[in-house]
Amino acid sequence: MKIAKQLIQKIDSIDSETLKTDSLLNGRLGLVYYYYNLYKHFNDEKHLDKIQVNLEAVLNNIESQTSDVLLDSTLENGLSGLGYILQLLINANILDTEYKSEIDQINTVVFDEAIKLIEQKNYDFVRGPFGILFYLSFVNDTFHVNAILEILIEKFKEDEDFFFYNEYTYIEGVHIGYAHGICGIIKVLNDNKDEDERVDFMIEKLLMKLVSIIENNDFYIDNQKYYLPRSIHKDDTYKNGLNYRAVLAWSNSDINFSTLIYSIKEKYVTKKLIDIANEIALNSISRKKEKHTRVWDHRFYFGSSGVLKIYNFLYKKTGVKAYQKAAKYWYKQTLIFLEENKIENHPLNFLNNLPATTLSILEFEEEKDMNWTKILLLL
């Protein structure tokens, strides 16, 4: 039996009632999303049953006012994650359109929270306004999307040396990757369904900023080149304000630039951007030691299954065999980390334990693109 199917059986055997959160990226809504992708892939009613059981548990908690998603609006932990799942299941004809009214209510609440977060200078994806914008775009709420874009373009123009500088406690500075930074921001703006001059302006300027950093810096850690820093800062804590880290990850790594360029609209992509993306990705393949990757477990967020997905994604996009070979290496590493089982997060935690890891492995083993990483900006 393939490893993914063993993991699916293992996840099925774990009682989801032991989860302490209803959230999308860490809790029961994450399980709904996981089983939704299995249902799409296998077309097996048992996965539909799991969707219904876990969604019902979340809705019951909301009804009783005990659900933690009511305390937050973000994609990772709050109402945006709930709205995303409801719309996803409506689109798949798993839920009736009567839930549209619930989504409309959610949109109003999360929009207000997005504005507050922007005013507090939080420009995060997973726990900030860009995750909310991603959600509102997904549900085609053009009114609220337009209002947020209008505020963002004004903030964007305030300081062209430090686009979207976070002053929020846990993410001070301009971050680079998908979870908290510029690559995530570009992808969210790119996925806006309407043509918009404001979006074009911001994406083009942000891409120019990233290219400028890459071209004007030559940074090595233990003989490995790193093309982009983890974050950019206004103070002198780091040389030129650039905080480089030896890392290879979905969440925040220079290889995010490579996957980004292969996922945005063609009108933004130039030969120069493709050449840089390829150089970064091909050079990153030699990063295998822990001191070069900071990978020490299998989780998707900043572990080996996220790296597996990155190289598998690049192989599907380019056909370059080196990426396929790299994906195979990280597949084997993920299996090793699964045996070691060092992760302390709940086993059903979507992003930080078994569900996302299982989907990465399943996709690799079956050699079929399942498009499950849309919520993680890899599509």
Side-chain angles (χ1 to χ4, degrees), residues 292-341:
H292 294 142
T293 64
R294 295 179 64 84
V295 172
W296 46 69
D297 57 43
H298 69 76
R299 76 186 77 190
F300 192 92
Y301 203 111
F302 39 73
S304 63
S305 65
V307 181
L308 162 61
K309 172 61 187 181
I310 284 169
Y311 287 119
N312 203 23
F313 173 89
L314 288 169
Y315 173 63
K316 298 293 184 185
K317 290 288 185 179
T318 68
V320 174
K321 293 291 186 180
Y323 298 139
Q324 184 186 40
K325 185 176 179 180
K328 187 174 294 185
Y329 171 82
W330 286 103
Y331 167 76
K332 291 177 179 177
Q333 289 302 115
T334 300
L335 301 191
I336 291 170
F337 288 134
L338 280 164
E339 286 293 325
E340 294 175 355
N341 193 25

Side-chain angles (χ1 to χ4, degrees), residues 75-204:
L75 190 70
E76 180 179 21
N77 296 314
L79 289 170
S80 291
L82 172 63
Y84 183 88
I85 290 297
L86 293 178
Q87 185 66 59
L88 189 73
L89 298 181
I90 289 170
N91 293 349
N93 296 316
I94 294 172
L95 283 183
D96 294 332
T97 55
E98 66 189 44
Y99 284 93
K100 275 286 190 183
S101 61
E102 310 280 347
I103 291 173
D104 291 340
Q105 293 177 48
I106 288 170
N107 292 357
T108 301
V109 174
V110 302
F111 167 75
D112 290 341
E113 184 63 21
I115 302 308
K116 290 177 185 176
L117 289 168
I118 293 169
E119 290 304 318
Q120 293 168 354
K121 296 192 175 178
N122 174 330
Y123 301 112
D124 203 356
F125 171 65
V126 291
R127 298 178 205 148
F130 280 97
I132 295 173
L133 179 59
F134 166 86
Y135 157 69
L136 291 169
S137 179
F138 178 70
V139 298
N140 295 315
D141 186 342
T142 54
F143 176 79
H144 285 128
V145 166
N146 183 65
I148 291 175
L149 287 176
E150 191 59 33
I151 294 168
L152 287 175
I153 192 68
E154 294 305 316
K155 292 290 183 183
F156 187 81
K157 292 176 178 178
E158 284 180 3
D159 189 348
E160 294 200 3
D161 289 327
F162 293 97
F163 301 118
F164 297 132
Y165 194 95
N166 291 287
E167 295 184 6
Y168 217 62
T169 53
Y170 67 96
I171 51 166
E172 189 272 332
V174 179
H175 287 247
I176 298 299
Y178 282 127
H180 311 297
I182 292 178
C183 289
I185 290 170
I186 292 172
K187 188 63 168 78
V188 170
L189 292 173
N190 173 85
D191 290 350
N192 181 48
K193 294 180 173 63
D194 298 321
E195 293 294 318
D196 193 301
E197 291 181 359
R198 296 166 300 184
V199 168
D200 292 343
F201 178 78
M202 287 188 280
I203 288 177
E204 288 163 7

Side-chain angles (χ1 to χ4, degrees), residues 277-296:
N278 289 339
E279 180 181 344
I280 293 172
L282 288 169
N283 276 296
S284 73
I285 291 172
S286 62
R287 295 182 212 165
K288 293 179 178 178
K289 295 179 181 178
E290 187 178 305
K291 67 179 181 178
H292 294 142
T293 64
R294 295 179 64 84
V295 172
W296 46 69

